[in-house]
Amino acid sequence: MSFFTNSPHQGASNRRASRHLGASGMFDRMRTLVDNVTEAFDGPAQTRKDRLLDNWMRIQEYYTPQRQDDICKLSVTDTTIPHHMEGMLRELAHEILDGAQISIDEALAQPLEFGACMEYLLQYHVLSDLVDLAERDVPRGMRKYVVRFFDYFTSVIPLGLLPESAIRLPLVAIMRQCLQIVETSPRTVVNGPVGGPTEHRLGRGYHSIMNERAAVVLCHDLLQLIVTLFTRLREHSSMVYLFFDWTNGEMVASNSELAVAALRSASSEYTAHSVRGHELFIVHTIVEYLLAPGATGQLAREALVLVVQVLAAPEDAERFVAFLLDQARVVEVLVEHMSYLHAQMPMFRPVPRTPASAVFGDAYAGPRRMAPLDRRVQNERDIKGGRAQRVDIGARLRHLLAQPSLLRARATQDQRESRILAAARTALKHVDAFFVCWELLDEIAAVAHNEHV
């Protein structure tokens, strides 16, 4: 029998296989047709830029002429705006994380390559639009969400993006806007009349409470944004010129005028300027709230140390240091605070001077209620000659993305604001404020010394 002769069983098997292949081909064609129809209706898979654009368009839908009357009656937490703002942040963070594998020096040396999301943000001035929405503060509370958006955004963007005018100018604008709101907010003075010597000499944050809840939170978030900005500037101190472009001799203060009053009046002269005087209002904001209670005061003191650290680091630090000493008069501010507070403390019979006696004992100044400030600068140098610090941007981005909620969870935001408000209702005792100024002055001296060893 030939091997090529088909048996009856083989013929039947071949016919069944042929019918099976025909049915399978028909099902494949039907599946392809269904896939084509689905793609025609749904479109291709969304990219990150598509998702970012979708979130931004959803925010803008609230500001159409047809919804103007309704949105004015709402709080921002009654809308989906926080959810979409967080969605934009997450899309940007994912995009930056993909390109965060290079060092700081490499990022500053090579031309910047924007991702699609960042390119859209810069090209269409989305950050400037957010500042405009914050200016209106509609719906109620929009401003504080925009400030927190800028805080997160500043903390994770590549450092080489800071010089971009579409980022730097809106960043300065939102800080100026916040300072104006905080400065004009009605306040209650705890001890003494409004505008009395305590408020005039020691700043608006000392024994003074803003009446509006939103202003208290906004002041805290403004200082947090300043801390975030100067934490980033520490990575490469040469970028300090973006925010400190002061030239010597522009402000001459009277020797008889208090340093804090001179800074306050000089800062007010630059309120109308959108491109000048950044350094004045930044330092002014910090100085006004150095002695504020709770987290707000802690942020102001941390910001002052960071500012000194950043300004003392560049190769041409002389003009920045001259600004701190001669124009902003930061050291004079602290010494004036100490002298005034020392005069307000109770005086008892002098303690006999023995080798074991303390200069400021309990019998002299009363018990201290606040723990000493934490030393930020140790004996070793943190920064040297403007050299960039090695910062793991990838770890920072992953930490940000791992948080379950950045802006959208209303309960989380309420708890955070409650902590800020509870701390703001307290007040520093004179003795605590005195030692805070002393230790802060010592910290600044340590920073300056470490920068020039």
Side-chain angles (χ1 to χ4, degrees), residues 85 122 144 152 174 350 394 405 448:
M85 291 178 73
L122 299 179
K144 65 184 178 182
Y152 284 123
I174 193 65
S405 172

Side-chain angles (χ1 to χ4, degrees), residues 251 259 263 280 283 287 322-331 333:
M251 180 180 77
L263 182 60
L280 273 177
V283 176
V287 167
F323 165 77
L324 286 174
L325 296 178
D326 301 331
Q327 275 76 37
R329 297 164 66 181
V330 169
V331 174
V333 166

Side-chain angles (χ1 to χ4, degrees), residues 59-133:
I59 293 174
Q60 291 182 310
E61 286 174 1
Y62 282 95
Y63 297 92
T64 57
Q66 296 82 2
R67 304 185 68 173
Q68 288 299 304
D69 293 337
D70 294 334
I71 196 173
C72 291
K73 303 173 185 177
L74 296 175
S75 169
V76 68
T77 53
D78 297 327
T79 71
T80 59
I81 291 176
H83 172 82
H84 295 304
M85 291 178 73
E86 179 172 333
M88 292 173 64
L89 276 172
R90 291 187 180 277
E91 296 303 332
L92 286 165
H94 279 296
E95 180 180 88
I96 297 170
L97 183 60
D98 289 344
Q101 308 303 322
I102 58 177
S103 68
I104 295 171
D105 292 331
E106 292 171 340
L108 292 170
Q110 65 184 20
L112 284 173
E113 295 183 2
F114 305 141
C117 293
M118 188 64 71
E119 184 177 6
Y120 180 85
L121 215 70
L122 299 179
Q123 182 178 358
Y124 292 96
H125 301 280
V126 173
L127 296 180
S128 295
D129 290 343
L130 282 173
V131 174
D132 292 339
L133 298 182

Side-chain angles (χ1 to χ4, degrees), residues 86-372:
E86 179 172 333
M88 292 173 64
L89 276 172
R90 291 187 180 277
E91 296 303 332
L92 286 165
H94 279 296
E95 180 180 88
I96 297 170
L97 183 60
D98 289 344
Q101 308 303 322
I102 58 177
S103 68
I104 295 171
D105 292 331
E106 292 171 340
L108 292 170
Q110 65 184 20
L112 284 173
E113 295 183 2
F114 305 141
C117 293
M118 188 64 71
E119 184 177 6
Y120 180 85
L121 215 70
L122 299 179
Q123 182 178 358
Y124 292 96
H125 301 280
V126 173
L127 296 180
S128 295
D129 290 343
L130 282 173
V131 174
D132 292 339
L133 298 182
E135 181 74 32
R136 296 174 58 191
D137 199 30
V138 174
R140 294 187 311 275
M142 182 65 181
R143 183 180 292 113
K144 65 184 178 182
Y145 276 88
V146 173
V147 175
R148 296 205 61 209
F149 180 96
F150 271 90
D151 183 44
Y152 284 123
F153 180 78
T154 305
S155 70
V156 298
I157 61 171
L159 198 61
L161 284 175
L162 272 182
E164 291 289 329
S165 60
I167 293 177
R168 178 174 54 87
L169 295 182
L171 177 59
V172 171
I174 193 65
M175 290 193 292
R176 283 178 175 270
Q177 183 187 129
C178 292
L179 178 60
Q180 184 178 7
I181 297 298
V182 169
E183 292 296 290
T184 57
S185 176
R187 59 185 67 233
T188 300
V189 178
V190 178
N191 294 322
V194 176
T198 299
E199 180 184 4
H200 179 68
R201 297 188 63 123
L202 302 179
R204 292 186 173 94
Y206 188 65
H207 286 202
S208 175
I209 302 174
M210 283 172 279
N211 298 341
E212 298 177 2
R213 171 187 176 123
V216 175
V217 176
L218 192 65
C219 180
H220 173 278
D221 290 347
L222 170 60
L223 287 164
Q224 178 63 70
L225 179 56
I226 293 174
V227 167
T228 300
L229 172 61
F230 278 87
T231 300
R232 295 305 310 276
L233 290 177
R234 283 182 61 196
E235 298 171 18
H236 208 285
S237 58
S238 65
M239 285 197 170
V240 70
Y241 73 90
L242 296 172
F243 302 93
F244 280 72
D245 56 357
W246 192 265
T247 57
N248 293 333
E250 290 191 32
M251 180 180 77
V252 179
S254 170
N255 291 331
S256 61
E257 190 175 19
L258 288 172
V260 66
L263 182 60
R264 191 177 292 153
S265 99
S267 177
S268 65
E269 294 177 5
Y270 283 90
T271 302
H273 293 273
S274 61
V275 295
R276 296 192 63 203
H278 306 331
E279 55 282 300
L280 273 177
F281 85 81
I282 288 174
V283 176
H284 170 220
T285 305
I286 295 169
V287 167
E288 288 284 12
Y289 296 95
L290 282 177
L291 298 179
T296 300
Q298 292 174 7
L299 286 171
R301 295 187 286 272
E302 182 179 355
L304 183 61
V305 173
L306 282 169
V307 166
V308 174
Q309 212 166 24
V310 169
L311 294 186
E315 295 292 339
D316 57 342
E318 290 79 8
R319 64 192 182 100
F320 299 122
V321 173
F323 165 77
L324 286 174
L325 296 178
D326 301 331
Q327 275 76 37
R329 297 164 66 181
V330 169
V331 174
E332 287 184 53
V333 166
L334 292 174
V335 172
E336 288 173 358
H337 285 4
M338 289 169 59
S339 63
Y340 180 78
L341 289 164
H342 182 266
Q344 306 305 310
M345 289 193 290
M347 297 291 292
F348 298 98
R349 177 177 294 181
V351 179
R353 297 303 305 274
T354 65
S357 65
V359 178
F360 294 99
D362 290 347
Y364 180 79
R368 183 176 183 179
R369 294 168 176 80
M370 197 175 83

